[in-house]
């Protein structure tokens, strides 16, 4: 009897240990994102993609799970730093952030002080990748946006353009880079800088209408800037052939919020809207996202999905190697070399994905149609075409 009892206890202990080892290991991942304030539309879209990536990872990895903890930085740089510090104190092993280079810069530096990986798709300021931070990674950059705009300009045979740009770092970099590249091609370029606090764009648009008289009005800014510029242009009606912008413009959310301002406007977009994926990964993402949020995927959510997916996979590899507490996550992110929903992703020594290039989408009747480059277009560009 005594022998049987000991055997039973040993068997129970073995089963308990086996159950414990089979239980997925959970890691806290911090999410620093603007959920309120000027950047909230983009922050919300990114977050939805990140949460979708977490749900898919937790269902499919088996050995490991991630728990997202979100802190709203309220579109404020100081609060972005505080958000990272709070996430670090809450036990986050890495940070997914943020949107806007002016937020990402200080937030990623705060993460570096904590030796935490910080991965983003929302900051394209050239200076971000020149700081020598070993824990900073991004999957997109200014060069990728520049390539997309230049391809569109070539295809439209643009001869003159007026660039209206915010004096923030990323928007200024893009404006100056485009000026240099377009001028070298013989395009007449005029630049008009504006303070991010501006609310009345009519004086700038009036100068463009009366003095510049360009074919293209190009906006290098963010959502609220686009709205102000387009409202002023709709009143003054400069004789341009197209209005073009970059990040967070050619999205379903902008059409939903400002249907009177978006018709025919062109902006960077990796995806048409609504989207149809052909890959197994894309189908899984879209199916999970649509079920979770009861709406179609847009390209910002896709960016959020990809950066989170890369991070979660790196965490799992680091956990398997037993290097989570030894800087292993950064090492594993740096080893990334895979095809994703935004194309090939690899990182250089500065944490930059030099493979990145974008596409241009146009708002057409509530849809976003990819119109450039022509080889990847899902429909023809409406040109001339303006929202007034």
């Amino acid at each position: 009897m005594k022998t049987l009892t000991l055997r039973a206890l040993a068997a129970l202990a073995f089963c308990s240990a086996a159950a414990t080892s089979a239980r997925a290991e959970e890691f806290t991942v911090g999410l620093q994102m603007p959920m309120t304030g000027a950047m909230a539309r983009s922050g919300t879209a990114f977050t939805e993609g990140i949460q979708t990536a977490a749900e898919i990872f937790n269902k499919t990895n088996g050995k490991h799970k991630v728990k997202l903890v979100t802190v709203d930085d309220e579109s404020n740089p100081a609060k972005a730093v505080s958000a990272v510090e709070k996430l670090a104190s809450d036990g986050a092993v890495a940070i997914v952030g943020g949107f806007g280079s002016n937020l990402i810069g200080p937030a990623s530096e705060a993460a570096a002080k904590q030796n935490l990986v910080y991965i983003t798709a929302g900051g394209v300021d050239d200076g971000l990748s020149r700081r020598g931070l070993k824990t900073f990674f991004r999957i997109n950059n200014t060069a990728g946006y520049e390539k997309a705009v230049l391809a569109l300009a070539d295809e439209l045979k643009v001869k003159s353009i007026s660039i209206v740009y915010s004096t923030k770092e990323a928007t200024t970099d893009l404006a100056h880079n485009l000026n240099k590249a377009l001028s070298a091609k013989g395009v007449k370029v005029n630049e008009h800088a504006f303070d991010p606090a501006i609310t009345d764009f009519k004086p700038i648009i009036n100068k463009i209408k009366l003095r510049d008289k360009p074919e293209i009005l190009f906006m290098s800014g963010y959502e609220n800037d686009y709205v102000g510029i387009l409202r002023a242009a709709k009143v003054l009606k400069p004789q341009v052939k197209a209005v073009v912008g970059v990040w967070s413009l050619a999205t379903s959310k902008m059409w939903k919020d400002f249907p009177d301002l978006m018709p025919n406007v062109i902006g960077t977009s990796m995806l048409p809207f609504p989207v149809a994926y052909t890959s197994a990964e894309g189908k899984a993402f879209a199916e999970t996202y649509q079920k979770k949020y009861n709406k179609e995927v847009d390209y910002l959510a896709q960016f959020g999905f990809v950066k989170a997916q890369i991070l979660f996979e790196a965490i799992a590899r680091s956990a398997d190697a037993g290097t989570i507490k030894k800087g292993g996550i950064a090492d594993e992110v740096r080893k990334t070399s895979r095809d994703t929903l935004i194309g090939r992703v690899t990182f250089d020594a500065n944490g930059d994905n030099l493979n990145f290039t974008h596409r241009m989408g146009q708002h057409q009747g509530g849809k976003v149609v990819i119109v450039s480059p022509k080889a990847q277009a899902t429909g023809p560009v409406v040109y001339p075409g303006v929202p007034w």
Side-chain angles (χ1 to χ4, degrees):
M1 181 66 70
K2 184 176 181 180
T3 301
L4 288 173
T5 301
L6 289 173
R7 286 177 179 172
L9 288 172
L12 182 61
F14 175 81
C15 291
S16 178
T20 300
S21 64
R23 193 178 303 129
E25 189 174 12
E26 185 176 78
F27 297 97
T28 297
V29 175
L31 177 54
Q32 165 256 320
M33 196 66 69
M35 305 302 291
T36 56
M39 308 292 189
R41 288 186 192 86
S42 297
T44 299
F46 270 127
T47 299
E48 290 172 350
I50 293 162
Q51 290 173 336
T52 302
E55 182 170 322
I56 292 173
F57 178 85
N58 288 341
K59 284 181 179 178
T60 59
N61 182 264
K63 289 179 65 178
H64 311 292
K65 289 185 178 295
V66 294
K67 180 179 75 172
L68 291 176
V69 177
T70 305
V71 178
D72 177 12
D73 63 29
E74 302 176 35
S75 305
N76 181 295
K79 292 184 178 181
V81 172
S82 298
V84 169
E85 292 172 344
K86 182 179 189 310
L87 290 166
S89 68
D90 288 344
V93 298
I95 306 291
V96 185
F99 190 81
S101 296
N102 64 318
L103 302 176
I104 287 168
S108 56
E109 288 178 6
K113 290 177 182 177
Q114 302 285 343
N115 199 32
L116 293 177
V117 163
Y118 185 102
I119 190 166
T120 183
V124 299
D125 174 11
D126 291 341
L128 290 174
S129 61
R130 297 175 184 154
R131 297 170 297 167
L133 299 183
K134 300 302 181 184
T135 56
F136 176 77
F137 301 90
R138 66 179 177 185
I139 61 174
N140 57 344
N141 47 46
T142 300
Y145 291 87
E146 182 183 339
K147 291 172 191 173
V149 176
L150 291 174
L152 177 71
D154 285 344
E155 290 169 358
L156 296 181
K157 296 179 170 45
V158 172
K159 294 182 174 61
S160 60
I161 185 170
S162 288
I163 299 175
V164 183
Y165 68 95
S166 167
T167 53
K168 291 181 178 180
E169 295 89 346
T171 46
T172 298
D173 283 344
L174 179 60
H176 291 344
N177 290 349
L178 285 174
N179 188 342
K180 183 178 179 180
L182 289 167
S183 296
K185 293 173 178 286
V187 177
K188 180 185 176 183
V189 182
N190 288 291
E191 287 189 5
H192 299 272
F194 64 85
D195 186 281
I198 191 175
T199 57
D200 184 5
F201 286 90
K202 287 194 288 294
I204 292 177
I205 298 300
N206 205 39
K207 283 182 185 178
I208 291 171
K209 176 182 179 180
L210 300 177
R211 189 188 68 187
D212 298 356
K213 299 179 181 179
E215 293 177 328
I216 302 294
L217 170 60
F218 180 79
M219 306 178 293
S220 182
Y222 299 98
E223 298 116 306
N224 290 350
D225 304 325
Y226 303 143
V227 172
I229 293 166
L230 286 166
R231 280 180 175 157
K234 194 167 184 180
V235 171
L236 295 172
K237 295 180 172 59
Q239 297 301 302
V240 297
K241 293 181 178 179
V243 182
V244 181
V246 279
W247 38 79
S248 307
L249 177 59
T251 68
S252 59
K253 181 66 173 171
M254 287 296 278
W255 180 279
K256 180 180 178 181
D257 290 350
F258 308 102
D260 60 321
L261 300 178
M262 292 301 120
N264 301 322
V265 170
I266 300 171
T268 49
S269 181
M270 293 298 295
L271 294 171
F273 179 86
V275 64
Y277 289 101
T278 57
S279 69
E281 185 173 78
K283 289 177 180 178
F285 168 52
E287 181 180 333
T288 304
Y289 181 92
Q290 290 163 353
K291 185 176 180 180
K292 193 175 182 68
Y293 298 107
N294 194 31
K295 60 182 179 180
E296 294 287 337
V297 172
D298 71 27
Y299 87 94
L300 290 179
Q302 179 178 260
F303 270 122
F305 173 79
V306 171
K307 65 180 176 179
Q309 178 187 47
I310 288 169
L311 177 62
F312 300 158
E313 290 171 353
I315 290 171
R317 294 196 301 270
S318 181
D320 289 340
T323 60
I324 288 283
K325 296 181 179 179
K326 303 174 184 177
I329 297 175
D331 293 338
E332 294 298 337
V333 174
R334 192 164 283 106
K335 292 176 186 175
T336 296
S337 179
R338 79 192 292 294
D339 292 321
T340 73
L341 298 184
I342 67 161
R344 191 76 182 168
V345 173
T346 59
F347 296 105
D348 66 9
N350 295 319
D352 229 347
N353 173 28
L354 299 183
N355 305 290
F356 176 69
T357 188
H358 226 307
R359 302 168 189 161
M360 302 301 294
Q362 184 176 40
H363 285 285
Q364 296 180 8
K367 298 180 179 180
V368 174
V369 177
I370 301 300
V371 295
S372 178
K374 285 184 178 179
Q376 298 170 2
T378 60
V381 61
V382 176
Y383 186 79
V386 293
W388 53 81

